[in-house]
Amino acid sequence: MKKILIATNNKGKAKDFESLFGPYGFEVQTLNDLEQDIDVEETGVTFEENAVLKAETVSKLLGIMVIADDSGLEIDKLQGAPGVYSARYAGEAKNDEANIDKVLSELQGVPEEERAARFRCVLAVAGPGIETVTFSGSCEGTILEERRGSNGFGYDPIFYSPEKGRAMAELSPQEKGQISHRGAALRQLEARLPQLLDALGGQQ
């Protein structure tokens, strides 16, 4: 089976890509599947910069096509924070619960109409002899005052989708995919997939 590498250690993100590439006969691998330890320092100040940095760095190391994702939560009341620091908002340990607690604490007492937020995602595709391309998506919502639901990961329990009338963590994976920032970026990627896989096919 042909393989494609997603430059992430996040199992939740990997599942999103498996559903996209599985029908094309590709096995999705992540950094967790590699014998070598690859950790790209995310020094960019935007999601796009970080996604491109990860994709190009890992692609050059391994000599294959790589897809990298950088995504996070932007809250208007917090001037766009946590933004690119979403995964480490409460510290370097990447603790989802601690990150959620910090956001809820910072928005304590803020009325519903001032809790607007969005999830944003940028995918970067890099490979030998291929010009790096990016795809982006966003999902608008508001920040709840308490957690709801047990699905998803990250900030999903406190992100309310007006379109679905529920928190992101209360949605099934299929429902989430219909409206999510990553789902939107993946649909853009899917539109270009035959062209990208033609290029990838010559590398296998």
Side-chain angles (χ1 to χ4, degrees), residues 47-48 120-124 134-138 181-186 188-189:
F47 295 126
E48 184 168 6
R120 196 179 296 281
C121 170
V122 175
L123 301 176
T134 60
F135 307 90
S136 61
S138 61
H181 53 312
R182 188 165 298 104
L186 281 170
Q188 292 181 33
L189 168 60

Side-chain angles (χ1 to χ4, degrees), residues 8-202:
T8 183
N9 293 301
N10 188 310
K11 293 179 180 178
K13 290 181 182 180
K15 288 181 181 177
D16 290 339
F17 288 101
E18 285 170 2
S19 62
L20 175 62
F21 285 98
Y24 290 90
F26 278 80
E27 177 189 351
V28 171
Q29 291 191 324
T30 68
L31 297 178
N32 291 324
D33 298 312
L34 301 179
E35 291 183 3
Q36 62 200 102
D37 186 20
I38 299 176
D39 187 21
V40 181
E41 189 175 355
E42 298 177 14
T43 55
V45 296
T46 65
F47 295 126
E48 184 168 6
E49 287 179 6
N50 280 333
V52 169
L53 178 65
K54 286 188 282 189
E56 292 183 344
T57 300
V58 178
S59 178
K60 286 174 184 174
L61 278 171
L62 302 177
I64 61 173
M65 183 178 279
V66 173
I67 298 177
D69 153 302
D70 199 45
S71 54
L73 177 67
E74 298 175 339
I75 301 172
D76 292 349
K77 188 71 174 178
L78 303 180
Q79 290 73 53
V84 295
Y85 305 107
S86 291
R88 300 180 175 87
Y89 197 44
E92 287 300 312
K94 292 187 178 182
N95 184 304
D96 286 350
E97 295 306 313
N99 289 336
I100 288 174
D101 286 341
K102 182 173 181 180
V103 165
L104 292 178
S105 174
E106 291 179 335
L107 291 180
Q108 192 167 5
V110 175
E112 182 180 346
E113 62 271 18
E114 295 180 26
R115 300 173 77 94
R118 72 204 48 80
F119 277 126
R120 196 179 296 281
C121 170
V122 175
L123 301 176
V125 183
I130 299 171
E131 184 176 349
T132 302
V133 291
T134 60
F135 307 90
S136 61
S138 61
C139 174
E140 298 289 331
T142 58
I143 301 301
L144 295 164
E145 294 184 5
E146 60 184 14
R147 294 166 172 80
R148 291 189 200 169
S150 57
N151 296 330
F153 59 97
Y155 296 94
D156 285 356
I158 59 168
F159 188 90
Y160 177 81
S161 164
E163 187 176 341
K164 293 293 186 182
R166 283 168 286 165
M168 210 67 129
E170 294 178 301
L171 304 178
S172 69
Q174 292 74 23
E175 289 175 312
K176 180 182 173 182
Q178 291 168 2
I179 63 164
S180 77
H181 53 312
R182 188 165 298 104
L186 281 170
R187 283 188 286 276
Q188 292 181 33
L189 168 60
E190 187 171 15
R192 291 276 299 277
L193 208 49
Q195 178 185 346
L196 292 169
L197 294 183
D198 279 346
L200 181 60

